[in-house]
Amino acid sequence: MPVVAFLTGAKQLSIDLAEPVVILRGSSVDNTTHVLEGEVNVVLTRPVLASQVVIKFIGKSYMLWPEGIGPRGNKLYHEKKIHEQNLVLQAFFDSPRGEGLLSAGLHRWPFQFLLSNQLIETIEDEMAKVFYYVQATIHRVGGMVAVAKLRARRDILLLRTPHWSDAALTANSLPTTSIISERRLDICDATICIEKSNGSSGTPFPIAISLSPNMKHVFIESISVILTEKRVYRLPEFQARRMELHGFKVTLSSVTSLVDPALTSTHGLVSQLSLKEMRRALGVKNAHIPLDIGPFQHRLNFTLPNCVHLNHTSTFSEIDISHCLKIHIELSSPAVDGSENPKRTHIHLETPITVLDCRLKEDYNTLPTYEQALLLDPVAEEKDLDGLNASNGFFLCPCYLEYKKKRKCSRKDWLKLRDDVQKTSTSATTTPPPSPSNEDQSFEDDLNNPPPTYASIGAKSWYY
């Protein structure tokens, strides 16, 4: 029996979700299922004649093609449906005409969708998008006069995390996310350790580098760390394909020595480079940092570009976004033949990495240090917890703030988060956005000619 609600207005149809975000875990080939559940509510001030109540879960892809596609090359965008699930919440099968009367008051219909882990995650690239939403519809019947349907819509986020699959969890040991490369050269022994192969945009990305010289008069001339993003757009039905390549020079935020402090501070056996000297080695071509005093063993903490410039890695073949990290170290040593020109030795490391969605930076990317975990009091005051979160030091982008606002965030928590962001933005110094590397000329060409905006080519909004 519906509860009569004495409210003003004719009709109010809404969708309440238990969680507006679906977390896809691990690879898209993992055979797991996720649940999206909620409730459809409608408030009627008078009886309504309807045929059925339906809710749909729909996924669409939208691509911009400024160069034009199709037989005449005049189609500038393309939208298609990539997923759809339908649920009939109420139908009137007993009625001869399949119609029924919804009495005045409040009506509620719970629903539940089972979503496969093989679904494509939400993509929000400037040239292509993948988005999902649920839409509830009440099909009204009006006799001889056409009556508009009652509709309500809620957007759904599908985010993919680097969780291990069930097969990996049942193994004797979990695979590590770090990448280690060792090189044995004539002039030195080099070890490069990328501590994690995945990270969200705008978050710290540490890399440990160890260089132990095997001869005298060995110098570090330059260290270059570049993150490349490759975007491949495909449309099989039109046999269209476009590729873009972008390069970003990651910013160095801090430097930590990996040598025993007693050797650096007391005895002075091993030199310790400052942040200024390390930035000089990363910014100039001939830094000329000597290795005669001791080996170079430092942990370089970089910061990945934020989501304004960087997309997350995708698993969609038609919107294929992949990332690669390139590390280049140049060393100089005395020439073997006795000439004045020193010998140059190059160390290259190129490895793929996974960039997660920026909205996952706090939940799946930043962890407290060992000391913070020991000192963390579960009944600590809110200001202490805020200080712990602020110490993570990642970039708070607008989409992350909106995500935190929608996902079980009370008004008090949202106001506190907004105030903290405003204080951080006013106190912190502004830094320029990451610039493309000069190592590859194709990177400069892509960044000097950015893709057009939606409005410049007259495309319609991608939400509808």
Side-chain angles (χ1 to χ4, degrees), residues 388-421:
L388 179 60
N389 293 333
S391 64
N392 289 329
F394 53 76
F395 175 73
L396 296 176
C397 55
C399 44
Y400 171 76
L401 297 177
E402 186 67 20
Y403 167 76
K404 294 292 290 183
K405 180 180 178 181
K406 289 182 178 180
R407 192 177 186 188
K408 295 181 181 180
C409 182
S410 64
R411 177 176 176 82
K412 181 181 178 181
D413 296 335
W414 166 245
L415 292 177
K416 182 180 295 185
L417 178 62
R418 187 187 63 181
D419 294 339
D420 293 341
V421 172

Side-chain angles (χ1 to χ4, degrees), residues 58-76:
I58 299 176
K60 291 184 177 181
S61 68
Y62 184 89
M63 294 189 196
L64 290 178
W65 296 90
E67 65 274 19
I69 56 175
R72 299 182 180 180
N74 56 355
K75 187 177 177 63
L76 301 179

Side-chain angles (χ1 to χ4, degrees), residues 236-440:
E237 49 266 43
F238 290 94
Q239 297 182 355
R241 185 181 183 274
R242 183 177 70 251
M243 186 185 71
E244 299 177 3
L245 191 63
H246 301 267
F248 304 94
K249 210 166 189 178
V250 293
T251 306
L252 179 65
S253 57
S254 63
V255 178
T256 305
S257 177
L258 300 178
V259 185
D260 187 356
L263 299 177
T264 58
S265 59
T266 306
H267 303 283
L269 299 178
V270 180
S271 62
Q272 184 174 6
L273 297 179
S274 62
L275 179 60
K276 182 178 180 181
E277 293 174 331
M278 189 59 62
R279 285 180 174 172
R280 177 173 172 265
L282 293 170
V284 300
K285 189 66 176 176
N286 298 308
H288 214 63
I289 300 176
L291 297 180
D292 293 340
I293 302 179
F296 178 91
Q297 297 179 357
H298 288 80
R299 182 178 184 264
L300 310 181
N301 199 12
F302 296 93
T303 301
L304 296 178
N306 56 57
C307 62
V308 178
H309 309 277
L310 191 68
N311 293 301
H312 63 82
T313 306
S314 68
T315 60
F316 191 22
S317 60
E318 298 185 10
I319 308 176
D320 188 4
I321 302 176
S322 58
H323 298 86
C324 181
L325 190 69
K326 298 180 179 180
I327 301 176
H328 175 226
I329 302 175
E330 185 176 357
L331 305 172
S332 64
S333 60
V336 180
D337 54 0
S339 62
E340 297 181 357
N341 297 327
K343 178 183 177 182
R344 298 280 180 160
T345 304
H346 300 270
I347 301 175
H348 294 275
L349 175 61
E350 184 173 344
T351 178
I353 65 171
T354 301
V355 177
L356 305 177
D357 194 285
C358 61
R359 285 160 285 217
L360 298 172
K361 60 181 64 177
E362 183 179 21
D363 297 334
Y364 296 93
N365 196 75
T366 57
L367 295 175
T369 61
Y370 181 74
E371 292 80 4
Q372 290 174 342
L374 291 178
L375 298 176
L376 180 60
D377 188 359
V379 294
E381 297 181 358
E382 294 182 357
K383 60 180 180 180
D384 298 332
L385 295 178
D386 293 339
L388 179 60
N389 293 333
S391 64
N392 289 329
F394 53 76
F395 175 73
L396 296 176
C397 55
C399 44
Y400 171 76
L401 297 177
E402 186 67 20
Y403 167 76
K404 294 292 290 183
K405 180 180 178 181
K406 289 182 178 180
R407 192 177 186 188
K408 295 181 181 180
C409 182
S410 64
R411 177 176 176 82
K412 181 181 178 181
D413 296 335
W414 166 245
L415 292 177
K416 182 180 295 185
L417 178 62
R418 187 187 63 181
D419 294 339
D420 293 341
V421 172
Q422 291 177 353
K423 292 178 183 179
T424 305
S425 61
T426 55
S427 60
T429 57
T430 58
T431 57
S435 58
S437 168
N438 295 327
E439 183 176 331
D440 196 337

